[in-house]
Amino acid sequence: MKEVSRERLLKQQDFIQKIKIENDRIDTPLKAFVETYGCAQNENDSERIRGMLIDMGYVLCESIDSADLVIYNTCAVRENAEVKVFGKLGALKNKKAAKPSLIIGVCGCMMQQEHIAENVRKKYRHVDMVFGTHALYKFPEILDKARRGTRVFSTENSDGEIAEGIRISRDNSKGAKISVMYGCNNFCSYCIVPYVRGRERSRSAENILAEVRDVSKNGYKEITLLGQNVNSYGKDLGDAGITFAQLLREVCKVDGIERIRFLTSHPKDISDELIEVMATEPKICKQLHLPVQSGSDEVLDKMNRKYTRGAYLDIVRRVRERMPDIVLTTDIIVGFPTETNEDVDKTISLLEEVEFDMVYSFIYSKRQGTPAATMPDCLTEEDKHRNFDRLTRVQNEISRRKNEAMVGKSERVLVEGVSRTNDQFLSGRTEGGKIVNFPGPEEMVGKIIDIKITECKTWSLTGEII
Ligand code: 5AD
Ligand code: SF4
């Protein structure tokens, strides 16, 4: 593991100080708006950007209307997220014309792709800063240049480096997200992540545990450990590394942390050691997100997933043997190029067999530069949508049944905030990660309380404080 050197981080600190001094001279503080697309890892990166912005004397705001600085942290996993960002950037053109001092930045996975950065360079000339995931720690320097009127493109690939010590401004009502590793080595044939996030690199257990202790000191009760494939944590650290299961055991020892979750696990790397630690450590939430992607061996092979349907079902059996009430969730891709209607039948039958609590299903999106992008399509777009709909119908029914079975039971709920749809209600999550809405006072936000489930909907539950 190579960490960004102290000198290079200190250089960024100097830029932070410089901008802070300049900003402090202005009567009304400059406002910054940061919008995130994509996964929890990206949200965690945005929390770093926000941390740096606060250190530079910016005030965070909730809308672009009043902002002096706008940053979109982008996702490249599917095309629709990219289309949205280009739409937003297009809409900012007039804003910039009306307010030339507005600084516009785009960062994240999309910008780590050369053809996208090039497109922004040529067609979105009002964008001031473009930086990829590898340049995140250099944000203060990039912003300083942009504030001086230079257009900045920082999309180089500094694979394998980790920047420690960047202050994080967390969303304090939810649990704290803590990255344990970056990048991915798996090269699933449809996926852009290994190309935009680079190879797997693990943070040292020492740094991770220091961050866990720090968030605990700041009152967080729940943490989510993040990585594209957490179960290969430590493998790149050689003798100095510990396994993810060992890391979990260490994290469990930190006082004050009551709930531990983690994302994401690749089925090929699930170990008995992990299942054991989950089953025996009461602080680890009995919830496992285990993306299966397809129920057909032919498609799994073409996806380069390195497990079969049978092997996946065997993991589910082992997990449930040790934790009968575990909440299982998964990801499914419908419409992979070689997928036939019969393959989708197999995926649906897998959903019926496993009965996941929740399934995140996506229509396949062609990603330039990935092996699947050159595979010829078996089905028409219309067929793919029809398959997506029939799969969704089956799963909705299963999710609803699973939630219905919870009515009348009591659940430990971490209160995350006031409900978005009704301000008399609070919203929280069960140990299994399900959303529960219930009437209660705002002072309960951040606490873990017992709730009796009284009603269920497909996606959420309603309850009352016991
Ligand atoms: N098209 C559609 N879905 C994808 N995912 C990853 N790449 C693609 C793609 N090209 C899905 C997978 C993954 C989730 C995060 O996004 O299901 O598990
Ligand atoms: Fe993408 Fe596969 Fe890596 Fe997940 S494991 S990030 S799907 S390449």
Side-chain angles (χ1 to χ4, degrees), residues 77-78 190-191 291 293 331-333 362-365 367:
V77 169
R78 281 171 293 274
Y190 50 82
C191 184
Q293 313 297 0
D331 290 344
I332 300 279
I333 296 178
F362 310 101
I363 292 206
Y364 169 75
S365 169
R367 306 288 62 210

Side-chain angles (χ1 to χ4, degrees), residues 121-134:
R121 189 195 294 275
K122 290 202 184 110
K123 298 197 187 134
Y124 297 80
R125 302 204 59 85
H126 55 292
V127 172
D128 304 285
M129 313 179 277
V130 171
F131 53 106
T133 55
H134 300 291

Side-chain angles (χ1 to χ4, degrees), residues 256-275:
I257 298 296
E258 293 181 33
R259 280 181 167 187
I260 300 160
R261 304 183 192 277
F262 55 87
L263 278 174
T264 298
S265 300
H266 193 301
K268 79 176 168 54
D269 294 312
I270 288 277
S271 63
D272 286 333
E273 190 195 10
L274 180 88
I275 297 174

Side-chain angles (χ1 to χ4, degrees), residues 212-384:
V212 176
R213 282 191 285 269
D214 186 56
V215 297
S216 167
K217 224 168 39 203
N218 284 309
Y220 286 91
K221 301 261 176 295
E222 180 179 304
I223 57 166
T224 303
L225 302 177
L226 298 179
Q228 299 299 342
N229 178 16
V230 286
N231 294 304
S232 55
Y233 170 78
K235 287 182 184 161
D236 57 312
L237 297 177
D239 290 345
I242 57 175
T243 63
F244 184 61
Q246 287 168 324
L247 178 71
L248 279 172
R249 281 208 202 279
E250 292 305 312
V251 170
C252 287
K253 291 180 192 156
V254 177
D255 285 339
I257 298 296
E258 293 181 33
R259 280 181 167 187
I260 300 160
R261 304 183 192 277
F262 55 87
L263 278 174
T264 298
S265 300
H266 193 301
K268 79 176 168 54
D269 294 312
I270 288 277
S271 63
D272 286 333
E273 190 195 10
L274 180 88
I275 297 174
E276 203 43 41
V277 74
M278 280 189 83
T280 49
E281 288 285 0
K283 286 185 179 182
I284 302 180
C285 290
K286 303 299 171 268
Q287 173 201 13
L288 187 62
H289 182 62
L290 197 60
V292 65
Q293 313 297 0
S294 168
S296 150
D297 282 341
E298 288 73 23
V299 174
L300 286 172
D301 182 52
K302 287 279 188 301
M303 285 178 165
N304 193 30
R305 288 292 287 179
K306 303 189 182 85
Y307 56 83
T308 58
R309 173 194 177 103
Y312 185 92
L313 290 172
D314 190 52
I315 299 167
V316 171
R317 185 187 55 72
R318 273 155 49 212
V319 167
R320 283 198 170 137
E321 226 167 63
R322 290 296 279 121
M323 294 165 277
D325 292 327
I326 194 162
V327 166
L328 282 179
T329 57
T330 202
D331 290 344
I332 300 279
I333 296 178
V334 177
F336 184 80
T338 64
E339 188 179 68
T340 62
N341 291 328
E342 292 68 41
D343 289 321
V344 179
D345 293 341
K346 290 179 190 163
T347 303
I348 291 175
S349 89
L350 181 123
L351 296 185
E352 287 170 330
E353 200 168 332
V354 177
E355 297 197 310
F356 293 100
D357 287 83
M358 177 114 105
V359 171
Y360 302 88
S361 40
F362 310 101
I363 292 206
Y364 169 75
S365 169
K366 189 184 273 198
R367 306 288 62 210
Q368 192 174 317
T370 61
T374 52
M375 296 180 190
D377 268 328
C378 259
L379 296 177
T380 62
E381 284 306 308
E382 205 186 344
D383 286 334
K384 291 183 181 187

Side-chain angles (χ1 to χ4, degrees), residues 114-125:
E114 233 168 79
H115 69 283
I116 301 268
E118 218 24 56
N119 193 7
V120 176
R121 189 195 294 275
K122 290 202 184 110
K123 298 197 187 134
Y124 297 80
R125 302 204 59 85

